[in-house]
Amino acid sequence: MRDASSDAAATNVQPLPPTIAWRGGEDGALELLDQTLLPHQRRVLTLRDLDGVCEAIVSLRVRGAPAIGVAAAYGVVIGVRAAATTDVATATAAVCDRLLRTRPTAVNLRWALERCVRAAARDATLANLLREARAVHADEVAMSDRMARVGAPLVPHGGCVLTHCNTGRLATAGEGTALAVLFQAWSQGTRFRVLADETRPLLQGARLTALELAAAGIPVDVCCDGAAAGLIARGEVQLVLVGADRIAANGDFANKVGTYGVALACAAHGVPFYAVAPCSTIDPALADGGAIPIEERDATEVSTHGGRSFALAGVGARNPAFDVTPAGLVTGIVTDRGLLRPPFATAIKAALASGR
Ligand code: MRU
């Protein structure tokens, strides 16, 4: 049974500050909404040093594949500025190297940093690095808009859409990936409700997705990750939309841990399962998902919550932050260059070629 308060929650949500903003010119600062404090506290961080930017990415103060890339691109400006050198190209390479090591799975980080390195090779000035960071930011916003339009017709009027993790404005520089599709469909008059997996261990679904949907007036219920398969089996879900952190050349993709289980349940019960991601999330150099690096995070994220441990002292924990969903379980991939259908190897190659 739905909790009536989930609809009422919508009316109480104040608009969120921007997820990422750059204030000022070359001497400016990076502003990030600290997502570790949401939904109960809103604090905007003002970052002027590279350590702070790296810490914000590692600690998930800024998170979500496209958002990490945009934050890192601005981090390059901050890091190179602090290096105070005339050899901007060498400093850019060193700063990018440092930023690249913050989180290994989302390839958008590498995509954005490689753009910065190329920009410095063309014109080795701080002004040009800031121009490139702004361009990375604008490109992610534009890709987000296009994905939303491509995916919106998939959303069933009167149906229930399940999603995993957070893929909205908080995860990108724009409207989002999977959630952008939902925002767009809603704005076009399609009516539906959403089941948001809570997304253990850091609860991006319960804390962030439910907040964003409530703010948009879209009815949302949170469920335990472990409840998703049973709800799918009972016919309570008509569509699953998730984001992606890295898509291999054959369509296998990494996303927040727990996504693979949802895909298996969809395949078992005939529910369409789509990934939604910009082309900046595709890594054509990887033949399949087996080669995607999976971030292992601190075990205490699993064994504690709110500073309290709920496992016996000495009990170990595994904490892979992502898992890989094989392409064979995927109905389609919504991208900024259209809806890709199997066989994904061919479709991905064509989509990437269309942008050259
Ligand atoms: O660890 P996170 O919160 O950065 O993980 C985010 C996800 O897994 C998202 O689904 C993914 O980045 C794609 S949508 C922007």
Side-chain angles (χ1 to χ4, degrees), residues 204-335:
Q204 289 93 329
R207 294 188 303 106
L208 309 178
T209 297
L211 169 65
E212 289 199 66
L213 289 167
I218 300 176
V220 55
D221 289 308
V222 172
C223 67
C224 299
D225 298 348
L231 293 170
I232 288 168
R234 276 162 44 180
E236 292 199 22
V237 174
Q238 284 68 52
L239 172 71
V240 170
L241 294 179
V242 297
D245 286 82
R246 192 183 298 228
I247 302 173
N250 71 341
D252 294 352
F253 75 95
N255 191 48
K256 179 54 57 190
V257 68
T259 302
Y260 176 38
V262 173
L264 285 169
C266 285
H269 299 285
V271 172
F273 174 94
Y274 289 87
V276 185
C279 283
S280 54
T281 302
I282 299 174
D283 186 352
L286 297 188
D288 60 52
I292 298 176
I294 300 295
E295 178 181 9
E296 285 273 348
R297 294 185 61 84
D298 199 292
T300 56
E301 289 180 351
V302 172
S303 58
T304 66
H305 185 66
R308 288 187 56 191
S309 170
F310 43 68
L312 274 181
V315 171
R318 287 292 312 279
N319 190 11
F322 300 92
D323 59 25
V324 174
T325 297
L329 299 178
V330 181
T331 312
I333 304 176
V334 176
T335 75

Side-chain angles (χ1 to χ4, degrees), residues 42 60 69 80 160 191 202 210-211 263 291 298 322:
R42 290 161 189 219
L60 274 57
V80 171
C160 175
R191 290 295 170 259
L202 297 179
L211 169 65
D298 199 292
F322 300 92

Side-chain angles (χ1 to χ4, degrees), residues 104-120:
T105 302
V107 77
N108 308 61
L109 178 62
R110 192 184 76 198
W111 175 84
L113 294 173
E114 283 177 351
R115 282 182 59 162
C116 296
V117 169
R118 286 198 298 272

